[in-house]
Amino acid sequence: MVHSVLLFLLLTLTAVSAQQHQYDDPSITATMEKFSGYTINEPHSFQLTSLSVDAQALQNQIDELAAFSDSPAPSVTRVLFTDKDVLGRKYVKTQMELAGLSVREDAVGNIFGRWEGLEPELAAVATGSHVDAIPYSGKYDGVLGVLGAIEAIRVLKRAGFKPRRSLEVISFTSEEPTRFGIGCLGSRLLAGSEDLANALKTTTDIQNISFLDAARSAGYGKNGDDLSSVFLKKGTYSAFIELHIEQGPILEDEGISIGIVTAIAAPASLKVEFEGNGGHAGAVLMPNRNDAGLAASELALAVERHVLESGSIDTVGTVGILELHPGAINSIPSKSHLEIDTRDIDEERRNKVVEKIHQSAIKITKTRGVKLSDFRVINQDPPALSDEAVIKAVEITTKELNLTSKLMISRAYHDSLFMARLSPMGMIFIPCYKGYSHKPEEFASIQDMSNGVQVLALTLAKLSSQLHLQK
């Protein structure tokens, strides 16, 4: 009898052990999950208290990266493919490698740092932003989304997390349009813009240096002029999420920790030029003038008027560049050049504003006797909506971390606008001081950055662990 009981117990333990070991076989586990609809051995089953952010180390890295600048501190100037940009890129790659990520770059300098998942055949979850900086800007715009993403990976590793889907950090090339007039250049190409790939073959900067020559000088584009190798297939990533400072005052004013972005406004960029007769500022009487400068000024005011006429707070317009030729105090401008930015979360409404600006430019030529020598729409991108499943993952995460949050719109555009063409997309905002951005006073507190990195880390864990995004 005793022998029979012992034999029964031995057989039972062997069966239980065998059943347990079958869950360790990824192929068996995947099959069981596929047919059962349930997740076995949750990869992100760790304690929230173990999500420890080294916020001071992150601040130190942001400060160190800011030192690679062509303008004195506290401002930052880091323009595409300049020496300081190349040094900044090396710094980012070093941080990726120190975090244990495998690093690769594409033909235009998009940088990828990958943490291989338990099931690498699944589409990865991606995060990231940019580290280029417009002249005399701050040190947090974009940088938080790159260095903060690397810190999020470190957080997960310290917590003992093992991702099912691979996690990838991306530092995008030239989110800012500073050098070649094209914003989100790297992410546009990743999303498969053939028009851009072709245009870059002949694109030059104000010093007449071609994009391709500039790329080669920085160590990229060595495989000829074909940039289609940068294109990614839709579905390469199961989700993309970007951490960013708000660049506006709402979160700080309302005392809210996290902004959850529901939509990104669509930008349209215009280049306009007027030509007049010019002449001596003293000799040509007012009734006889055809002043290209006043034509430009009148159009700038028309931009403001048409934006306000839209009736929506979400419609905005900016004349960011206004140049006069010959640019002398005693000379009537014979040429003027404007660059106009208008945005809205409603594409049709924004396009109506663009058309009204065009009609005003034509009208001004008649009333002021000048020539409209150029009116070009440089880009006219559609808006992007965040994916409901990504929004839900961030909402759940903020509740689990006991952080206040708010659904909001991003009126600034980001690389996420174009990553939405490849995969479900979302964004996480943190407050920044007085909403300042694109200026040296730009600032985010260590606590706010820590909150953002925690939310990003846990959201990445959730998205990595899902076989399918659950809406």
Side-chain angles (χ1 to χ4, degrees):
M1 179 67 180
V2 174
H3 290 295
S4 298
V5 172
L6 290 173
L7 180 60
F8 174 77
L9 289 173
L10 178 62
L11 291 172
T12 302
L13 290 171
T14 301
V16 170
S17 176
Q19 185 180 29
Q20 184 62 46
H21 283 306
Q22 77 176 357
Y23 295 153
D24 295 334
D25 185 329
S27 62
I28 295 175
T29 301
T31 302
M32 293 176 69
E33 289 176 330
K34 179 179 179 181
F35 287 98
S36 70
Y38 292 96
T39 300
I40 299 169
N41 296 340
E42 285 281 357
H44 68 276
S45 56
F46 52 82
Q47 297 295 321
L48 293 180
T49 54
S50 65
L51 291 177
S52 174
V53 177
D54 192 342
Q56 187 57 59
L58 174 58
Q59 181 65 67
N60 293 343
Q61 291 159 19
I62 291 172
D63 294 341
E64 289 166 0
L65 182 56
F68 302 115
S69 171
D70 282 315
S71 61
S75 71
V76 178
T77 300
R78 197 163 43 244
V79 177
L80 178 65
F81 297 147
T82 59
D83 291 344
K84 293 299 190 291
D85 179 54
V86 171
L87 290 172
R89 290 167 176 275
K90 288 180 180 178
Y91 184 86
V92 169
K93 287 183 282 187
T94 298
Q95 290 302 318
M96 286 180 171
E97 290 166 352
L98 289 172
L101 304 179
S102 59
V103 180
R104 69 178 180 87
E105 297 175 272
D106 64 20
V108 296
N110 289 312
I111 304 169
F112 306 82
R114 187 178 182 90
W115 182 9
E116 196 82 333
L118 297 173
E119 299 180 40
E121 72 280 2
L122 296 176
V125 177
T127 183
S129 196
H130 65 99
V131 298
D132 62 318
I134 68 169
Y136 297 94
S137 61
K139 59 186 174 183
Y140 296 90
D141 173 22
V143 170
L144 173 65
V146 176
L147 297 182
I150 297 171
E151 175 60 20
I153 297 295
R154 291 189 175 106
V155 167
L156 293 174
K157 288 193 172 189
R158 287 194 292 265
F161 175 74
K162 304 293 183 185
R164 167 180 280 133
R165 296 179 181 274
S166 299
L167 296 177
E168 201 154 273
V169 178
I170 308 174
S171 182
F172 295 100
T173 280
S174 191
E175 192 264 0
E176 306 290 5
T178 312
R179 184 165 186 181
F180 293 99
I182 304 164
C184 296
L185 187 151
S187 54
R188 285 178 191 269
L189 286 174
L190 290 178
S193 176
E194 294 184 4
D195 289 343
L196 177 57
N198 290 327
L200 287 174
K201 295 177 182 178
T202 56
T203 297
T204 59
D205 64 12
I206 58 173
Q207 296 178 323
N208 207 34
I209 298 172
S210 74
F211 172 82
L212 293 173
D213 284 344
R216 292 188 192 102
S217 72
Y220 302 105
K222 295 180 179 179
N223 297 324
D225 297 349
D226 183 14
L227 299 180
S228 63
S229 63
V230 177
F231 299 171
L232 295 179
K233 294 180 180 178
K234 188 172 184 179
T236 297
Y237 298 114
S238 66
F240 176 84
I241 187 158
E242 182 174 3
L243 174 63
H244 210 283
I245 60 171
E246 182 195 346
Q247 297 183 288
I250 295 173
L251 293 176
E252 184 183 60
D253 288 350
E254 298 183 10
I256 294 173
S257 298
I258 297 294
I260 305 172
V261 174
T262 58
I264 303 175
S269 301
L270 316 176
K271 287 189 178 182
V272 184
E273 292 185 356
F274 290 107
E275 291 184 17
N277 293 334
H280 193 284
V284 181
L285 300 178
M286 299 304 288
N288 301 325
R289 296 190 179 195
N290 307 110
D291 192 325
L294 291 178
S297 300
E298 192 170 330
L299 185 63
L301 291 172
V303 169
E304 180 186 42
R305 184 174 68 254
H306 297 320
V307 164
L308 293 173
E309 287 170 350
S310 79
S312 172
I313 194 69
D314 294 321
T315 313
V316 295
T318 306
V319 178
I321 295 176
L322 200 165
E323 299 171 338
L324 304 179
H325 178 82
I329 190 172
N330 60 349
S331 181
I332 301 166
S334 58
K335 295 180 182 179
S336 60
H337 172 88
L338 304 91
E339 295 190 21
I340 303 166
D341 178 298
T342 181
R343 308 176 189 220
D344 204 318
I345 59 169
D346 185 306
E347 184 177 11
E348 183 179 354
R349 189 167 58 209
R350 181 209 60 194
N351 291 348
K352 287 180 179 178
V353 170
V354 171
E355 179 55 31
K356 286 182 177 180
I357 293 171
H358 189 198
Q359 292 304 316
S360 286
I362 293 172
K363 182 178 179 181
I364 289 167
T365 63
K366 297 174 181 177
T367 58
R368 292 200 169 271
V370 295
K371 176 184 176 184
L372 182 62
S373 54
D374 192 13
F375 189 99
R376 282 181 291 157
V377 179
I378 303 304
N379 65 274
Q380 204 163 358
D381 298 306
L385 298 178
S386 296
D387 185 82
E388 290 181 12
V390 179
I391 293 172
K392 181 181 177 182
V394 180
E395 285 182 311
I396 293 172
T397 294
T398 56
K399 290 176 182 176
E400 291 175 346
L401 294 171
N402 294 317
L403 295 171
T404 55
S405 66
K406 176 186 180 73
L407 297 175
M408 60 194 310
I409 292 166
S410 173
R411 290 177 174 82
Y413 72 84
H414 304 278
D415 290 302
S416 291
L417 182 70
F418 301 96
M419 293 304 288
R421 301 177 183 180
L422 291 172
S423 73
M425 173 278 295
M427 290 193 73
I428 300 165
F429 278 173
I430 66 165
C432 56
Y433 175 65
K434 292 187 177 181
Y436 289 163
S437 188
H438 283 193
K439 56 193 295 187
E441 294 87 350
E442 180 180 277
F443 174 78
S445 72
I446 282 183
Q447 184 58 59
D448 286 329
M449 289 194 294
S450 180
N451 290 341
V453 171
Q454 273 197 315
V455 173
L456 177 61
L458 188 53
T459 302
L460 288 173
K462 291 178 184 297
L463 295 174
S464 168
S465 301
Q466 293 179 0
L467 287 174
H468 307 285
L469 286 188
Q470 300 166 357
K471 298 184 179 180

